[in-house]
Each structure stands twice: as structure tokens, then as C-alpha cells.
Amino acid sequence: MKVRLIQASMLLLLGLLIFSFMELPPKGKSGNPSYNENTTYYLEQTQKDVNIPNTIAAILMDYRSVDTLGEATVLFAAVTSVYSVLKGGSKKGAEKDE
Amino acid sequence: MNDVIVKTVTRIVMPFIQLYGCFVILHGHLSPGGGFPGGAILGASLILYTLAFGLEKGQRKMPEAYSKKVESGAILVYVALGISGVAVGGMFLTNRGAGFPMGEWGGLLSGGFIPLLTLAVGMKVAATMIALFQTMIEEEKG
């Protein structure tokens, strides 16, 4: 009974998601909500603000450079966690485990 | 792995991969690419070397102590460049406001601190890739 209830609610959720996907605006249309004044600003002002031809690099490294710092921090956290899991502890402790 | 063909091809191809990685990093603000893909290419070349020649030679080529220092140093360079904006009196990670020279349009040294940030991120990504790979393969062996 409980399983059936979960299955039914999952089906309902699936239908809801598919329905909401139908309502999305078509890709690449100029009237889309994602194509707002931000896009125009970046495309027009990058050459004046940052003086480089690559707009994507300007966004990544200048307008959103704090976000890139966060990405670098994620990499740092990944390496730190891998080290702490695979090489963590002193050598004495590792010998004790064996 | 002890294969003559793999070793020879690796030896021939390695400098070209690394040159391309450096190109992608250094031209990150001019052409498609940047720190993350360029660093991935550089790290992949070192992973290829480690796969072809074994872990010991790979660790001699890129020692763990070295990759650890690059790994932590690059992020410190990034933060230091950001704080230099605060020191001048602007916001964190200000480019033009902190007085970085904008340079000639389309030149290799243009766009303020963007080439420096790209270089730092690229070195960090390369060091991260090779450090993770060597750590994991070492554990598998031991």
C-alpha cells in the first residue's frame, strides 16, 4: 500500500515535471527571459570595461571573479579531502591499523 | 605498463600537449579557452606520462611536495590579487579600479589582472589533477 502511494506520487511528480518542461520558452528565442539587459550590457560594455576581445573570459575573471575564486576553493577542498581520506593520520596510526 | 609504442608516442606527443596547454592558458583572455581547460590539458599530459612510464617516474617528474605547493600557492596568488584592490581603496577583486594596466587591445598583456588570474587558475587546475591522480593510483598500488 505504502509502495503504491509512493509510486503514484512519483508518477504525479513526473507528469508535473514534463508539463512544466512543455511550458518552457523555445531555445534561442530573442524574447526569452534569459535574454535580458545583462546580456546586452556584457556584450556592449566588455570592450570598454576590460579591454579584451573574449567576453566569456571577461565575465569569468572580472565581473564574476569571486565565483571563479569559489571554484578554485572547491578544487582545493577536493584535494584536501582526498588527501585526508587516503593519506590522513600519522604513519604510526597507519601501522597500528595493519 | 611496459609498451615501447606507448612510451615512444608519449615521449613525442608530451611537449606538444604541454605547449598547447600553455597556449590555451596564456591566450585565455583572447581566444576560447582559459585557466580551467588549459590546466586540464597540462594535467592530462602529466597523467599520460604517469600512465605510460609508471608512478615512480611520474612522481619524479612532478613531485608531490611541488604539486602541493603550486596547488596552495595559486589560490593565494588569486586572493592576493583580489586584496590588492582593497589595498588601493576599491572593492575585492577590482580590475580597472585597482589601477591594473589595461594594455593594448588584443595584446597578450591586456585586460588588467585577467591574464594573471588565468595563469593562477591554470596552474592550480593542473596541480590538482596530477595530485589527485597520483594519490589515488598510489593507494591502489599499496
Side-chain angles (χ1 to χ4, degrees):
Chain A
M1 182 62 199
K2 207 175 173 185
V3 177
R4 279 290 157 84
L5 204 67
I6 292 173
Q7 280 175 348
S9 55
M10 283 292 162
L11 269 178
L12 200 71
L13 192 63
L14 181 71
L16 197 70
L17 284 175
I18 289 175
F19 178 72
S20 60
F21 187 75
M22 297 291 202
E23 291 294 306
L24 284 178
K27 204 177 167 189
K29 206 176 163 195
S30 63
N32 281 355
S34 60
Y35 189 75
N36 51 16
E37 69 276 1
N38 262 356
T39 317
T40 341
Y41 177 84
Y42 285 142
L43 288 176
E44 283 170 358
Q45 296 292 318
T46 300
Q47 315 307 328
K48 288 178 208 159
D49 282 352
V50 197
N51 197 26
I52 58 172
N54 191 349
T55 310
I56 293 171
I59 293 172
L60 274 180
M61 295 290 174
D62 193 308
Y63 297 114
R64 306 277 163 93
S65 48
V66 180
D67 179 63
T68 310
L69 178 62
E71 280 177 53
T73 316
V74 166
L75 282 178
F76 184 74
V79 166
T80 317
S81 53
V82 165
Y83 267 126
S84 61
V85 167
L86 293 181
K87 291 191 169 181
S90 60
K91 286 213 165 164
K92 271 184 188 172
E95 278 169 8
K96 259 182 199 170
D97 284 347
E98 285 168 5
Chain B
M1 194 190 288
N2 203 4
D3 193 345
V4 180
I5 299 174
V6 173
K7 281 186 179 177
T8 314
V9 170
T10 304
R11 211 176 286 141
I12 294 169
V13 154
M14 265 266 291
F16 293 103
I17 300 177
Q18 292 191 337
L19 187 69
Y20 183 61
C22 291
F23 168 79
V24 170
I25 290 178
L26 290 178
H27 287 244
H29 56 301
L30 303 175
S31 59
F36 284 94
I41 293 168
L42 272 184
S45 78
L46 287 165
I47 286 177
L48 175 70
Y49 184 86
T50 313
L51 280 176
F53 288 90
L55 182 61
E56 283 180 20
K57 277 196 169 180
Q59 275 177 340
R60 224 175 296 151
K61 191 125 199 153
M62 187 75 184
E64 204 181 282
Y66 190 66
S67 63
K68 261 187 208 167
K69 272 170 198 155
V70 172
E71 159 86 38
S72 328
I75 201 166
L76 286 179
V77 167
Y78 198 111
V79 173
L81 279 167
I83 286 179
S84 70
V86 178
V88 179
M91 287 179 290
F92 186 62
L93 284 166
T94 325
N95 191 357
R96 192 188 274 272
F100 285 103
M102 279 300 139
E104 194 184 340
W105 194 86
L108 199 60
L109 291 173
S110 66
F113 65 9
I114 289 180
L116 299 172
L117 286 191
T118 315
L119 191 66
V121 169
M123 283 167 71
K124 185 177 172 48
V125 172
T128 303
M129 279 186 74
I130 192 64
L132 283 180
F133 182 76
Q134 282 182 352
T135 313
M136 286 178 173
I137 214 174
E138 202 176 25
E139 285 300 310
E140 211 168 81
K141 226 179 172 185

